[in-house]
Amino acid sequence: MSEILKVRNITKSFGGLTAVNNLSFDISPGETVGLIGPNGAGKTTLVNVLCGSYYADSGEIEMDGKRITRMKPYERCHLGLSRTYQIPRPFPELTALMSVVTSALCGKKRINRGLDDAGAEATHYLEFVGLFSKRNILARDLTFFEMRMLELARALATTPKLLFVDEVMAGLNPGEANKAVHLIARAKEEFGLTIFWIEHVMAVLMEAAERIIAIHFGEKIAEGPPDEIASNEKVIEAYLGSGWKGKAHA
Amino acid sequence: MVDAEIKRDRIIIRHKGKKWDWMLEPRYWRNTMIWTALLVVFPIISYFVSPILLTTVITANLYAAIAIPLALMTVGTGRLNFGPNFFIGVGGYAAALLSIAYGWGPLKTLPFAFIFSMASALLFSPLVILARGLYYVLLTLLLPLVFMEVTFIYTDIFKGDVGLSGIKLLVNLGRVKLNFLACAYISMALMLLYLLVVNKILKSRYGLIMATINDDEEVAHGIGVNINKVKILAFIFPAGMIGVAGWFYAHYFATFAGITYLPLSFMVKVLLVIFIGGRTQVFGCVVGGYFIAFLEMILISTLGEIQPFVFPIILLILLFALPEGLFGIYRRRRYREYLPTLHVRR
């Protein structure tokens, strides 16, 4: 019962392609868990299944002892589950402040919440990600990095317990990526989050994550502390291919 | 327990851990007051100057009264409904048939017109969940056309070919001119009521939620919006409001024929009201309604036979020239954020 998220034998297939195959893992409160895998390994599908965008074909998901396998995304959000998207999906016609206000209004149920109260709270989250000066700019006019940050603010404003971060580094330059990583670490401390971090780049997770799960073709191939994962034969094979040793010698 | 509290600039209502605040900001009321006063004075002036304008005013008010709920429906469902006249047909036929069968007056048929059009919308509400994009447009476009066929097939009930007659008049003050004046004011009251209600909804938290659904449904679902509930409510409630416009048509003309309101030509006019006025701008709907009703009237009286060609050409030019509609011109010059900018002091 101590786990915040329990995943048991999740399978999801699209037609003949099995994107996630018989995957099981746990996440404890306060942890930062990384999920890595090569292209097409099923990372984003897994997040979509956990957040409710897709329903799993079989298997069970439990959050805080509640079965959420067939729950709709908004119900999972009310339980304290939030996500960011790999490609930023802001609300293009809303200002930065208003998009965060919506998630402060609609996220986890809070007592005596009016539009103004949500506005005041949203301001705090916008300031946290450093977008306060851009609050009245339409979300579609923000830069790529700012859209990322806006997504983070929007996810934080629902007051989640568990935050899924989907490839926050993709498309950012090293300076911005560094900022983003520090911000997520700060958010974890300040808001007491548990973070499930999907990433393509190993180096980031080596620093940030306490435990890494590696998947390939939808199956778990390794799980453990970052150092172990980095030297794991199967992981290296998944990333570089099976013939890499022989070719390196030849 | 509902707990209301009046403060300097707002009324706060609390109920079961939920809180609504109703902003009262008289500094934003000036322009609304001026325009409303102009609108209200217009029929009484035309009553003395040229009473023929009264019918145009009624037409314009009804165009606006159809377009305003349609704007709410468009924002709330995130889809453009191409068959708003289906609900006019349902509301109008409900009022007409009940008035003929039981001899009911307009006040008695009003709730039934509202309820019947909401029920018909509830019946077709799965459309807003299942269909999207072009399929939604096609399906909603077909609804009024199918309904028109039904009025022809069951012609002993609906009198599809000649129209129902013998409906009680909306008001009967003894003189035709006075009747028209009263109808003009009733239609204007209806339109202003819709404007007030829809504007209030769109400026509230529900409007904000609808805006997120309009922008990106999946993300809205992800941040905790129950999108199906919001979309269905945003489909049913405006449908009832549009049905009341059908009720008005039935009692105003004392006859009701589906062939007047259900074909494409009427629907195109309603959509043009929205597009010329300004997309999903509720105030633009009023501007567009008056603009189209008066343009049509002027062209019919001056051009005569070539009017059917000139009218669409002018509208097409306007559609290209004014992408944000007539209200967009005003809005671009004097744009105001809805919420006053928040100031955080350190």
Side-chain angles (χ1 to χ4, degrees):
Chain A
M1 275 302 289
S2 67
E3 291 91 1
I4 191 163
L5 189 78
K6 241 187 204 176
V7 180
R8 289 284 171 272
N9 308 329
I10 284 289
T11 302
K12 173 74 195 170
S13 46
F14 300 101
L17 179 82
T18 310
V20 179
N21 190 8
N22 209 14
L23 203 66
S24 311
F25 59 89
D26 297 323
I27 299 176
S28 316
E31 241 186 338
T32 304
V33 180
L35 180 76
I36 57 164
N39 280 336
K43 303 184 292 290
T44 301
T45 309
L46 177 64
V47 177
N48 282 338
V49 168
L50 294 180
C51 287
S53 303
Y54 305 137
Y55 289 138
D57 295 340
S58 65
E60 284 204 3
I61 310 165
E62 258 182 38
M63 184 166 166
D64 279 344
K66 265 188 199 159
R67 277 181 56 183
I68 59 166
T69 321
R70 306 298 289 179
M71 267 191 191
K72 291 196 171 125
Y74 79 93
E75 291 168 319
R76 300 187 197 205
C77 177
H78 290 179
L79 279 180
L81 203 155
S82 190
R83 72 173 288 186
T84 68
Y85 290 86
Q86 184 177 357
I87 301 156
R89 289 170 72 172
F91 298 121
E93 298 291 329
L94 294 184
T95 58
L97 179 64
M98 278 312 177
S99 16
V100 185
V101 166
T102 324
S103 66
L105 263 179
C106 304
K108 210 171 141 198
K109 288 266 158 63
R110 276 156 284 184
I111 206 161
N112 275 343
R113 169 56 48 92
L115 194 58
D116 286 15
D117 307 301
E121 192 173 317
T123 316
H124 173 68
Y125 290 107
L126 266 187
E127 210 179 347
F128 178 79
V129 298
L131 280 184
F132 182 68
S133 56
K134 308 256 171 132
R135 63 195 178 280
N136 286 338
I137 293 179
L138 289 185
R140 60 163 182 228
D141 294 336
L142 295 172
T143 65
F144 192 78
F145 175 69
E146 286 162 352
M147 281 187 197
R148 272 264 142 82
M149 291 301 103
L150 180 61
E151 283 225 320
L152 185 62
R154 207 172 57 188
L156 289 174
T158 63
T159 55
K161 285 182 215 159
L162 178 57
L163 178 67
F164 294 108
V165 181
D166 196 350
E167 302 224 3
V168 76
M169 316 289 288
L172 300 186
N173 67 36
E176 291 169 343
N178 200 16
K179 262 193 213 166
V181 170
H182 282 291
L183 206 58
I184 290 172
R186 245 183 77 203
K188 189 192 166 186
E189 272 182 24
E190 266 189 41
F191 304 115
L193 300 177
T194 309
I195 290 181
F196 187 60
W197 195 330
I198 296 89
E199 195 59 73
H200 211 74
V201 189
M202 275 284 277
V204 182
L205 287 186
M206 296 293 287
E207 273 182 40
E210 289 148 23
R211 188 155 61 90
I212 290 182
I213 298 164
I215 64 172
H216 190 38
F217 293 128
E219 285 175 34
K220 186 157 80 176
I221 51 173
E223 182 176 353
D227 303 338
E228 246 176 62
I229 294 290
S231 54
N232 189 306
E233 285 281 326
K234 274 186 179 171
V235 176
I236 295 167
E237 196 183 301
Y239 266 86
L240 299 176
S242 55
W244 71 280
K245 265 183 185 165
K247 273 177 196 160
H249 287 296
Chain B
M1 264 301 286
V2 180
D3 177 29
E5 188 183 339
I6 300 169
K7 293 209 167 181
R8 186 179 59 81
D9 62 339
R10 69 193 64 197
I11 300 171
I12 300 173
I13 299 162
R14 290 196 180 81
H15 174 63
K16 280 185 183 170
K18 281 190 177 180
K19 179 179 158 195
W20 291 269
D21 30 18
W22 186 315
M23 291 253 246
L24 307 166
E25 288 191 83
R27 60 186 159 142
Y28 289 160
W29 292 357
R30 198 196 64 195
N31 288 2
T32 322
M33 293 285 194
I34 292 171
W35 283 103
T36 313
L38 282 179
L39 270 183
V40 170
V41 168
F42 189 63
I44 194 85
I45 290 174
S46 54
Y47 176 76
F48 291 114
V49 178
S50 71
I52 198 81
L53 277 180
L54 283 177
T55 53
T56 319
V57 170
I58 295 170
T59 317
N61 283 335
L62 286 175
Y63 281 162
I66 297 161
I68 292 167
L70 186 60
L72 176 65
M73 194 190 270
T74 309
V75 176
T77 57
R79 296 153 165 77
L80 186 55
N81 187 338
F82 266 65
N85 42 356
F86 173 71
F87 304 116
I88 299 174
V90 173
Y93 270 115
L97 289 172
L98 285 170
S99 182
I100 290 166
Y102 301 107
W104 286 357
L107 276 182
K108 259 188 173 175
T109 53
L110 174 62
F112 287 93
F114 190 61
I115 289 167
F116 271 95
S117 21
M118 289 219 289
S120 69
L122 184 64
L123 190 67
F124 290 106
S125 61
L127 279 182
V128 295
I129 296 165
L130 299 174
R132 57 175 68 186
L134 200 53
Y135 293 100
Y136 182 77
V137 168
L138 280 175
L139 288 168
T140 50
L141 186 62
L142 278 177
L143 280 180
L145 301 180
V146 171
F147 189 41
M148 192 164 74
E149 287 301 312
V150 169
T151 64
F152 281 113
I153 293 166
Y154 296 98
T155 195
D156 48 334
I157 306 170
F158 294 110
K159 299 276 194 314
D161 38 2
V162 289
L164 291 162
S165 55
I167 306 163
K168 286 262 168 69
L169 271 174
L170 194 60
V171 277
N172 202 352
L173 299 173
R175 284 174 58 197
V176 181
K177 254 172 83 178
L178 268 181
N179 280 356
F180 273 114
L181 186 65
C183 279
Y185 275 113
I186 293 171
S187 64
M188 188 171 288
L190 188 73
M191 186 265 283
L192 289 176
L193 177 74
Y194 282 6
L195 194 63
L196 182 73
V197 170
V198 171
N199 188 41
K200 210 70 213 168
I201 293 174
L202 287 179
K203 296 281 185 219
S204 71
R205 71 177 77 176
Y206 306 105
L208 192 59
I209 290 168
M210 285 174 187
T212 61
I213 288 179
N214 207 15
D215 273 358
D216 197 330
E217 269 177 33
E218 267 180 52
V219 178
H221 213 175
I223 61 168
V225 180
N226 187 349
I227 53 169
N228 290 348
K229 190 173 115 188
V230 175
K231 276 196 290 185
I232 288 177
L233 284 178
F235 187 65
I236 291 173
F237 181 59
M241 292 166 91
I242 296 174
V244 172
W247 162 86
F248 190 93
Y249 275 123
H251 285 287
Y252 166 49
F253 290 118
T255 67
F256 194 82
I259 193 135
T260 321
Y261 307 107
L262 295 173
L264 285 175
S265 53
F266 189 80
M267 183 276 293
V268 167
K269 254 182 242 166
V270 171
L271 288 180
L272 279 172
V273 169
I274 283 201
F275 280 103
I276 296 289
R279 268 163 233 183
T280 66
Q281 287 288 332
V282 278
F283 295 107
C285 293
V286 182
V287 181
Y290 271 81
F291 181 79
I292 291 212
F294 275 88
L295 183 69
E296 202 184 6
M297 189 269 292
I298 289 166
L299 288 183
I300 286 175
S301 58
T302 54
L303 292 178
E305 278 182 7
I306 54 166
Q307 183 268 337
F309 302 101
V310 178
F311 186 53
I313 289 173
I314 292 178
L315 294 177
L316 265 181
I317 293 169
L318 280 176
L319 274 185
F320 280 106
L322 299 169
E324 280 185 68
L326 289 170
F327 193 70
I329 301 172
Y330 170 80
R331 195 165 165 266
R332 208 179 302 151
R333 285 168 60 93
R334 330 187 34 149
Y335 182 75
R336 271 200 205 102
E337 285 293 331
Y338 156 59
L339 279 178
T341 312
L342 287 160
H343 294 289
V344 174
R345 294 195 186 87
R346 299 168 195 258

